[in-house]
Amino acid sequence: MSRASALVSGVQAGRGAAPIVRSFFDEPTNTASYVVHDPATRSAAIIDSVLDLDIASGRISHKSADKIISYVKAEGLTVAWVLETHAHADHLTAAPYLKAELGGELAIGREIIRVQNVFGKIFNVGTEFARDGSEFDRLFEDGDSFAIGNIQAMALHVPGHTPADLAYVIGDVVFTGDTLFMPDYGTARADFPGGDSRQLFRSIRRLLSLPPETRLFLCHDYKAVGREQFVWETTVGAERSSNVHVHEGVVEDDFVAMRDARDATLGMPKLIIPSIQVNMRGGHLPEPETNGARFLKIPLDAL
């Protein structure tokens, strides 16, 4: 049994506290953010937050993040961690804003350095962008352990969607980031720079080796055809039996052929250009220029 499976199984068997999870769904970006906390100590983590951007006007707001802040304060929680599963391409993170308001260490996977180097070149950023992960307080390695109060947690490196994707095992629940979607929708794309459909398959199989009762909290939902409601929670067992792309019996080569063919038909996410520029900096906006305004670049014919 893997360490992650042992951690989950221990909580399911009653040998540890189960975390409380509160979700916040942002329909404009189809993103599910989470606050997860230890009921005994009230220690909490925030996972994959959203900074609101009106792309037409270039205006930033904190409506989504303020909902999280209100919840944390109303529940009397102390934020220990502000966690990112990866450098998102579909929304900007509100991590620095939340950290300033609520505290906590900002963390992501160590492979963010690789992402910074790739996109640092694409956006032609200057030497002021260190590309060493220093915008974050902690860079997790695969299998690194941490805690939220009395609840043990672990970072799992699950590359494929991007090189830097992490899943977080927290007690008996897992936050999968952009690896899996709901069983009726399938799996994440793997055609971004550094993405790899074969790695994605293996990462998903790693997650699906966890106990079948394990609850999975997903980063996105897009409503599969015929489904009227957004849903972002499932189980390992449901994914094993019913995921339309990667259920039990699907072999790696068939998945890779399907995923690569499907990805070839997809356009870029509408917020990929602003999102990556901000998220590769840990959510920090570019420094103001001489007129006091901040600017994001649009690289032509580069993505």
Side-chain angles (χ1 to χ4, degrees), residues 47-300:
I47 302 174
D48 288 338
S49 61
V50 172
L51 180 69
D52 303 293
L53 169 66
D54 177 47
I55 191 64
S57 67
R59 293 190 180 277
I60 296 284
S61 66
H62 300 98
K63 179 178 66 175
S64 296
D66 285 340
K67 291 178 182 178
I68 291 176
I69 292 170
S70 294
Y71 171 78
V72 167
K73 291 182 176 179
E75 293 295 314
L77 306 180
T78 300
V79 174
W81 296 96
V82 180
L83 303 174
E84 297 290 325
T85 56
H86 63 295
H88 306 274
D90 40 33
H91 70 274
L92 283 67
T93 176
Y97 176 73
L98 289 167
K99 180 180 173 182
E101 293 292 321
L102 299 172
E105 290 189 68
L106 174 57
I108 199 168
R110 180 165 293 278
E111 288 298 309
I112 188 63
I113 295 171
R114 179 176 169 189
V115 173
Q116 289 177 329
N117 275 283
V118 169
F119 282 99
K121 293 175 183 176
I122 289 174
F123 291 110
N124 196 34
V125 295
T127 55
E128 74 280 358
F129 181 44
R131 311 181 204 193
D132 60 1
S134 56
E135 296 83 1
F136 300 86
D137 299 312
R138 180 157 176 189
L139 302 180
F140 284 123
E141 304 274 7
D142 181 47
D144 275 355
S145 297
F146 61 105
I148 300 170
N150 296 329
I151 296 178
Q152 293 302 303
M154 180 180 298
L156 298 181
H157 186 213
V158 286
H161 174 62
T162 79
D165 280 61
L166 289 184
Y168 293 105
V169 181
I170 300 175
D172 63 342
V173 302
V174 180
F175 299 88
T176 67
D178 286 16
T179 50
L180 285 163
F181 297 140
M182 290 300 294
D184 59 359
Y185 201 88
T187 57
R189 65 194 296 168
D191 61 331
F192 295 146
D196 186 291
S197 56
R198 200 167 294 277
Q199 278 192 327
L200 180 62
F201 180 86
R202 295 172 184 176
S203 293
I204 290 170
R205 284 289 177 235
R206 185 182 190 193
L207 292 175
L208 298 189
S209 70
L210 293 167
E213 299 84 4
T214 306
R215 290 185 295 159
L216 303 179
F217 290 91
L218 316 178
C219 192
H220 297 289
D221 187 56
Y222 303 95
K223 287 198 293 193
V225 175
R227 174 156 55 83
E228 296 183 356
Q229 293 182 325
F230 291 108
V231 188
W232 47 86
E233 179 183 350
T234 184
T235 66
V236 165
E239 295 282 9
R240 286 184 196 170
S241 64
S242 305
N243 187 286
V244 294
H245 293 166
V246 72
H247 58 78
E248 289 181 342
V250 174
V251 298
E252 184 173 317
D253 286 345
D254 288 347
F255 173 83
V256 169
M258 177 281 301
R259 188 68 264 171
D260 290 351
R262 183 178 175 87
D263 289 350
T265 70
L266 301 177
M268 287 288 103
K270 64 181 180 180
L271 292 181
I272 185 172
I273 288 176
S275 294
I276 293 294
Q277 287 180 79
V278 171
N279 296 340
M280 71 182 185
R281 293 179 166 94
H284 296 284
L285 300 174
E287 290 298 316
E289 297 194 10
T290 54
N291 65 349
R294 302 174 191 269
F295 292 87
L296 297 172
K297 297 180 178 180
I298 300 179
L300 302 179

Side-chain angles (χ1 to χ4, degrees), residues 22-41:
R22 171 72 155 83
S23 59
F24 299 81
F25 190 73
D26 178 61
E27 189 168 345
T29 64
N30 297 93
T31 301
S33 305
Y34 299 98
V35 177
V36 53
H37 78 266
D38 172 13
T41 66

